[in-house]
Amino acid sequence: MPHPTPARPRLLGLTALLGALLTACTGTTEDLPVIRLALLTDGGQTLRTLTPGPESAANTDDATLPIQNGVSVDVLANATRYALTRRAGIEARPAPTPPPAEGQAFTAPPAAQFPAGPCFTAVALSAGRDRLLALSDCPNDVQRLALYRADGSLVWTARLPVYLPPSGQEDVPPVRLAVLTGPGTELGVVARPVLGGGSEVLRLAPAQVGNPVAEVVSTVNTPVIRDLAPYAGGVVAATDTGLQPLRDTGALNPEATLRAFGNTRYDRVWSVPVGGTPLLAAWRSNIRAGTTSQPLRLWDGRATQTDNSAATVDAFVADLRDVTVDPQGFLYALTATTLTRYDTALGLAQGSWRSRLLLSGLTDARSVTWVLP
C-alpha cells in the first residue's frame, strides 16, 4: 500500500497561493495532498514512480518498470492519471506504486491515416491538459499528427507536408508542438527547422468542427523557434531574442516579446496552468551555449513586466530535460542525472526557493510529471 506523505499547512492551491502573495493576504491553509511523481530515465527505457518526502524526509514508494522507447509523461486533466507516450503508442496510467505493467491504451490512429503505424517522437498538452497532440515521425513516411482527448479518444489526425530536415547545419532545434482549444477550436501548431536556417510554423485544424481529419490552414516562415508553450490563450515561442507570442497567422510577434525574460536566447519554455495565467519557466541550453550551466527562470505572469524581472530559480542548471509544477507550488527540475524540487511560493515571495535534491545518479532522464492518487 502507498504510504501517504505527512501533511503540513500551506496556502490553498497554487492559484490562491500566488493571489495571496501578490495581494499580501494572510491566506487560508489546508493539509497538503499526497503528490506522486512519474519520470522517464535511461533514455526512455525505464518508468520510475515515487512519492517525494516532505522537508528532508526520504522519498517513499520508489519503484521502476522497464518499458520500451518512452518519449514523455504528462499529467492529464483530472490530475489522477498521466499519459505515458512511447514511440509505439500512448496510454493513461494511474498514480499507484508500483506502476502496473500496462496502462489504458489511447485509441490507435486509423491505419489509413497512419500506414506506417505510429512512431511518436514528441507530444504537447493544451493549457487545460484536456488535449494531447502527438507527432509521429516514421522512417520513409511523412510526419503525421494525432490529437487526443484526455480520455484517450481521437479528435483528429493530420498528414504534414513533405519535410526535409536540415542536415549538415549546427544548432538545429527539434520539431516543437502546441495545441489550442476553445469553443469551436481544435488547433495544432507545429514549428519545424528549415534548410538554410529559421523555422516554418504550420497551423492545422479540421475544415469543419468534428471532422476526423485536419488540414494545414497556414504556413509561415519565421526566425528560428526552439520551443513552444501555450500562454494567455495563445502560444509563446522560445527564440534567439527572447520569448515571443505567435500571431494568429503563426508568425512571431517581436513587438510583444515578454520583457520579463529579456531579449536573450532560450531553448526551452514551459507553461504551468495557474488560474487564467500560467507560470512560465524558461532556460537556455548550457550545451548549446558552451557553458557548464545556465539559469532557470520563472515568471508568474502577473508581476510588473520590466526588463529581466523574471525570477531566477537556480542560477546553475546543466542539461535540463523537463520541468513541472505541482498543485502545491513545488517546481521539479529534471536534468539528465538529477531531480530537484523548488518552492515557488517562497521563491516568488521572498527569493528563498528551498531547493532539495530528490534524486541523483540518474542516467539520461527524459521527462517528469506529477499525479494525484
Side-chain angles (χ1 to χ4, degrees):
M1 291 290 291
H3 302 287
T5 301
R8 62 185 176 87
R10 193 174 178 85
L11 290 176
L12 177 62
L14 188 51
T15 304
L17 179 149
L18 288 175
L21 291 177
L22 296 173
T23 58
C25 294
T26 57
T28 302
T29 63
E30 68 168 12
D31 289 342
L32 294 179
V34 175
I35 293 292
R36 302 250 168 76
L37 299 178
L39 57 155
L40 293 176
T41 63
D42 301 318
Q45 304 307 306
T46 300
L47 174 64
R48 185 169 181 175
T49 59
L50 60 94
T51 301
E55 307 300 338
S56 58
N59 303 324
T60 59
D61 304 313
D62 196 338
T64 60
L65 177 72
I67 62 171
Q68 291 185 340
N69 303 320
V71 174
S72 184
V73 285
D74 300 277
V75 66
L76 296 171
N78 66 6
T80 61
R81 302 191 309 164
Y82 63 95
L84 167 62
T85 301
R86 296 180 299 110
R87 184 170 176 83
I90 306 172
E91 57 189 55
R93 286 179 166 266
T97 299
E102 297 182 358
Q104 179 183 348
F106 278 33
T107 301
Q113 277 75 46
F114 279 64
C119 305
F120 293 129
T121 58
V123 297
L125 263 69
S126 62
R129 304 195 302 268
D130 59 346
R131 296 290 187 274
L132 184 149
L133 182 65
L135 172 72
S136 179
D137 195 359
C138 294
N140 304 315
D141 190 19
V142 297
Q143 293 178 330
R144 300 175 188 271
L145 294 176
L147 180 64
Y148 287 96
R149 301 177 185 89
D151 64 5
S153 60
L154 267 172
V155 179
W156 52 251
T157 60
R159 180 185 188 276
L160 295 181
V162 173
Y163 175 58
L164 296 176
S167 61
Q169 297 178 208
E170 296 183 356
D171 200 15
V172 176
V175 178
R176 297 297 193 187
L177 311 176
V179 55
L180 295 176
T181 61
T185 300
E186 302 277 7
L187 180 71
V189 181
V190 180
R192 306 193 291 192
V194 295
L195 292 170
S199 296
E200 65 175 6
V201 175
L202 301 92
R203 299 165 66 250
L204 299 98
Q208 294 182 335
V209 176
N211 282 7
V213 176
E215 304 170 354
V216 176
V217 295
S218 68
T219 303
V220 62
N221 287 350
T222 70
V224 64
I225 290 175
R226 303 193 179 275
D227 203 2
L228 297 173
Y231 176 72
V235 176
V236 66
T239 77
D240 289 352
T241 54
L243 300 186
Q244 299 180 9
L246 297 185
R247 302 181 190 273
D248 290 342
T249 60
L252 290 167
N253 185 0
E255 292 81 11
T257 298
L258 300 183
R259 293 174 54 198
F261 289 92
N263 57 5
T264 190
R265 167 175 166 169
Y266 290 97
D267 291 273
R268 297 300 310 273
V269 59
W270 296 268
S271 65
V272 183
V274 182
T277 304
L279 289 174
L280 280 179
W283 178 77
R284 179 178 182 181
S285 170
N286 63 291
I287 296 172
R288 297 296 190 186
T291 60
T292 57
S293 62
Q294 285 287 312
L296 172 61
R297 306 190 67 192
L298 186 73
W299 186 50
D300 59 23
R302 305 181 186 188
T304 302
Q305 185 179 174
T306 58
D307 290 340
N308 286 304
S309 60
T312 297
V313 177
D314 191 327
F316 305 102
V317 180
D319 204 0
L320 185 62
R321 301 299 180 85
D322 201 7
V323 166
T324 191
V325 180
D326 71 22
Q328 302 168 13
F330 286 118
L331 181 149
Y332 301 89
L334 181 71
T335 73
T337 58
T338 64
L339 177 65
T340 305
R341 183 176 67 189
Y342 302 88
D343 190 328
T344 65
L346 287 178
L348 291 172
Q350 304 173 11
S352 174
W353 299 93
R354 293 200 311 151
S355 65
R356 183 192 168 194
L357 182 65
L358 296 176
L359 295 173
S360 61
L362 302 175
T363 301
D364 193 12
R366 297 293 181 89
S367 181
V368 63
T369 195
W370 60 271
V371 63
L372 297 177

